[in-house]
Amino acid sequence: MTFESLGLHPQIIKALTDAGYTEPTPVQAQAVPAAIAGRDLLVSSQTGSGKTAAFMLPSLHKFASAAAEGSAGKTPNQQAQAARARGERPRFAPAQPKMLVLTPTRELALQVTTATDKYSTQMRRVKAVSILGGMPYPKQMQLLARNPEILVATPGRLIDHMESGKIDFSQLEILVLDEADRMLDMGFIEDIELIVSRTPETRQTMLFSATLDGMVGNIARRITKDPQLIQISGSSTRHENIQQRVHFVDDLLHKNRLLDHLLRDVAIDQAVVFTATKRDADTIADRLNIAGFAAAALHGDMHQGARNRTLNAMRNGQVRVLVATDVAARGIDVPGITHVFNFDLPKFAEDYVHRIGRTGRAGRKGIAVSLVNHAEGVHVKRIERFTKQSIPVDVIEGYEPRKSAAPRARPGWKPGDGRKQGSGGKPGQRTFAKPGAPRKDGGGYRGNREGGRSDGRRG
Ligand code: AMP
């Protein structure tokens, strides 16, 4: 399938070709034609599936087609100019966006804006801006004064501007809720309902979410009209391009030693280490820096400027190990991330899926390793039930857990060398069997995941 066959405007096709996209991803192949036909959409898909383009391409198509027909109305700035020409004093003109994308986090909002800029390079008169908490108000006022066609926003700050009359949604044509499940998890339900209530009934609504069950399903039904349901197969939660494994640890010391060892793997281009708390993210990033890794922390207590600088440093390769909490890392899209480490297991199985999806972006391969206290075996089981996959248990010689029922060490590994011995794999590069695949060396990924001691920390 080609982008041309989806019926997209030539200006968009040109931008996609320049971006190096050769064919639509499955979610794009289904969502784009339906959205161009004007349907509301309910889409279950993950980040990494190409979902941003799935809602942005048909929307840009609509704007490009309207511009070609000359149907674009007068912008508030043009109205103000016309008023001045008539010798009248122009009234304060609020921004009147045509499209609103709501996202749970600032990082995701910035990514959506960047992607929009990329997809609209060939179009004149399409501006996308982010309206985010943490950004100075004067700067946002400047952005709004440009009367952008597309607003990408986190709910709280958007409501501030709505209430102070800086934004008027009466001209809104398209509303997108991106990662709706996450927005609801973060307690944005009332904000979302308020925002939706200020938009015209005639709008087109597209809702993207990892799941369409429960509360998301309820709100989805309320805000859409005769929506087309698009469910991208289980691979979105299965992450089949990502090899997953679990290492059991006895205590915090063991966990730290193992993490340091694993991070010395030469196959790692860049890695994200997930922690349960912001404080742990800082502490571990400091410790890794002292140990000689180019590490940086990313969490919600950091100012937006610092978060952006850290993410840019990650994108341009200055940071090799990002130590992050769930919310801060949500939606991060850095192609160089080859490995994800769960220093602590996430509270929810859904978060596990989101976390490991930071690697293996756009069809690449990735490796996800969880460091698990013996008492947390039950959480691993929960994740396995959710993803309908078993996660192999692995042991590295010299880093075995003391617990007697632990799986045997993999033969051929020397403590501290981070290398696989024998045939298969590039020298100095670790290779791992596919999850669930029989072990060639007969070591087996068996392990007793229940009971035993814990390091007493929350996973
Ligand atoms: P998303 O799921 O929107 O976060 O997109 C994940 C990554 O896939 C981003 O880096 C996009 O630039 C990339 N991407 C999206 N669509 C395509 C496509 N059709 N071909 C290649 N890469 C794509």
Side-chain angles (χ1 to χ4, degrees):
M1 181 172 297
T2 63
F3 283 108
E4 282 85 352
S5 68
L6 299 181
L8 286 165
H9 194 281
Q11 287 171 344
I12 299 171
I13 306 267
K14 167 87 171 63
L16 294 173
T17 310
D18 292 349
Y21 294 9
T22 50
E23 57 175 344
T25 66
V27 68
Q28 292 160 7
Q30 291 192 52
V32 172
I36 287 180
R39 295 285 302 270
D40 280 3
L41 302 183
L42 294 186
V43 185
S44 82
S45 67
Q46 302 284 343
T47 52
S49 60
K51 68 181 171 56
T52 312
F55 61 75
M56 202 43 87
L57 300 181
S59 307
L60 291 173
H61 170 87
K62 190 170 178 178
F63 300 143
S65 308
E69 287 164 17
S71 61
K74 271 204 175 114
T75 67
N77 281 343
Q78 289 167 331
Q79 289 168 15
Q81 274 169 13
R84 272 191 217 99
R86 290 194 301 271
E88 297 165 13
R89 215 170 137 208
R91 284 186 305 124
F92 165 76
Q96 292 183 317
K98 294 200 173 92
M99 178 178 190
L100 170 65
V101 182
L102 287 177
T103 72
T105 64
R106 305 161 190 182
E107 280 75 17
L108 184 57
L110 290 171
Q111 254 167 238
V112 170
T113 311
T114 307
T116 307
D117 291 344
K118 180 160 72 179
Y119 304 144
S120 63
T121 45
Q122 303 297 315
M123 297 169 64
R124 282 186 299 129
R125 291 222 312 243
V126 171
K127 288 187 291 291
V129 305
S130 316
I131 296 296
L132 312 168
M135 196 191 261
Y137 274 91
K139 168 86 183 147
Q140 293 194 333
M141 303 301 295
Q142 272 173 14
L143 292 174
L144 289 174
R146 289 160 59 195
N147 194 35
E149 286 75 13
I150 303 171
L151 276 192
V152 186
T154 49
R157 181 58 66 92
L158 183 69
I159 287 179
D160 290 350
H161 288 294
M162 272 164 52
E163 300 299 13
S164 60
K166 305 289 185 311
I167 302 173
D168 159 19
F169 284 128
S170 63
Q171 304 302 310
L172 196 84
E173 296 171 19
I174 302 168
L175 171 67
V176 177
L177 272 66
D178 195 5
E179 299 198 359
D181 53 330
R182 194 67 188 174
M183 283 197 277
L184 299 187
D185 281 353
M186 292 167 74
F188 285 134
I189 178 99
E190 284 172 11
D191 290 353
I192 291 172
E193 291 191 331
L194 175 68
I195 294 165
V196 172
S197 74
R198 301 281 175 88
T199 63
E201 285 282 310
T202 50
R203 67 173 191 265
Q204 179 180 30
T205 308
M206 300 185 240
L207 181 144
F208 286 72
S209 178
T211 165
L212 295 172
D213 302 333
M215 201 156 60
V216 186
N218 285 339
I219 191 162
R221 274 188 295 280
R222 271 186 281 134
I223 67 172
T224 55
K225 288 196 201 82
D226 183 27
Q228 173 144 342
L229 188 65
I230 296 174
Q231 280 176 306
I232 298 305
S233 75
S235 64
S236 54
T237 53
R238 292 170 69 85
H239 282 311
E240 269 150 6
N241 53 333
I242 300 171
Q243 293 197 10
Q244 304 167 53
R245 57 198 166 95
V246 157
H247 285 273
F248 279 95
V249 295
D250 296 315
D251 50 29
L252 188 55
L253 185 69
H254 186 191
K255 211 185 233 192
N256 280 328
R257 278 183 59 229
L258 187 55
L259 178 69
D260 287 20
H261 173 78
L262 291 167
L263 284 174
R264 293 188 195 282
D265 187 340
V266 292
I268 296 177
D269 186 357
Q270 287 176 296
V272 182
V273 176
F274 280 98
T275 63
T277 68
K278 298 164 192 170
R279 215 175 66 180
D280 279 353
D282 279 331
T283 313
I284 293 171
D286 286 348
R287 199 177 56 68
L288 291 176
N289 267 310
I290 291 166
F293 296 98
L298 185 79
H299 57 67
D301 276 355
M302 293 162 60
H303 291 301
Q304 189 61 40
R307 282 159 73 160
N308 291 345
R309 277 195 297 281
T310 302
L311 273 177
N312 283 339
M314 187 76 182
R315 283 202 188 92
N316 65 30
Q318 285 165 290
V319 167
R320 187 165 162 261
V321 183
L322 188 70
V323 190
T325 55
D326 282 297
V327 170
R330 187 143 186 112
I332 288 179
D333 181 20
V334 178
I337 299 172
T338 50
H339 290 60
V340 166
F341 295 94
N342 289 313
F343 188 81
D344 296 300
L345 278 181
K347 262 199 253 169
F348 303 108
E350 288 94 327
D351 287 333
Y352 176 86
V353 173
H354 283 289
R355 283 183 179 190
I356 73 169
R358 295 314 99 216
T359 179
R361 307 290 295 167
R364 294 182 182 83
K365 292 199 184 310
I367 290 179
V369 182
S370 298
L371 308 182
V372 178
N373 307 321
H374 299 294
E376 292 175 323
V378 62
H379 297 307
V380 176
K381 287 230 154 62
R382 209 163 49 196
I383 291 165
E384 290 180 329
R385 269 199 305 277
F386 180 76
T387 60
K388 299 188 178 64
Q389 281 172 316
S390 71
I391 308 176
V393 176
D394 200 8
V395 176
I396 296 175
E397 209 173 305
Y399 295 84
E400 301 90 341
R402 284 194 297 271
K403 198 169 155 28
S404 56
R408 277 189 288 134
R410 290 153 40 98
W413 287 79
K414 279 199 241 128
D417 70 358
R419 247 164 244 251
K420 185 172 193 274
Q421 311 287 306
S423 61
K426 288 185 205 153
Q429 183 176 340
R430 292 178 170 191
T431 56
F432 295 96
K434 269 210 167 105
R439 292 278 306 272
K440 279 196 194 122
D441 58 16
Y445 288 109
R446 291 177 302 273
N448 179 357
R449 295 173 173 179
E450 305 296 342
R453 32 182 302 172
S454 151
D455 62 14
R457 302 173 78 262
R458 193 171 68 73

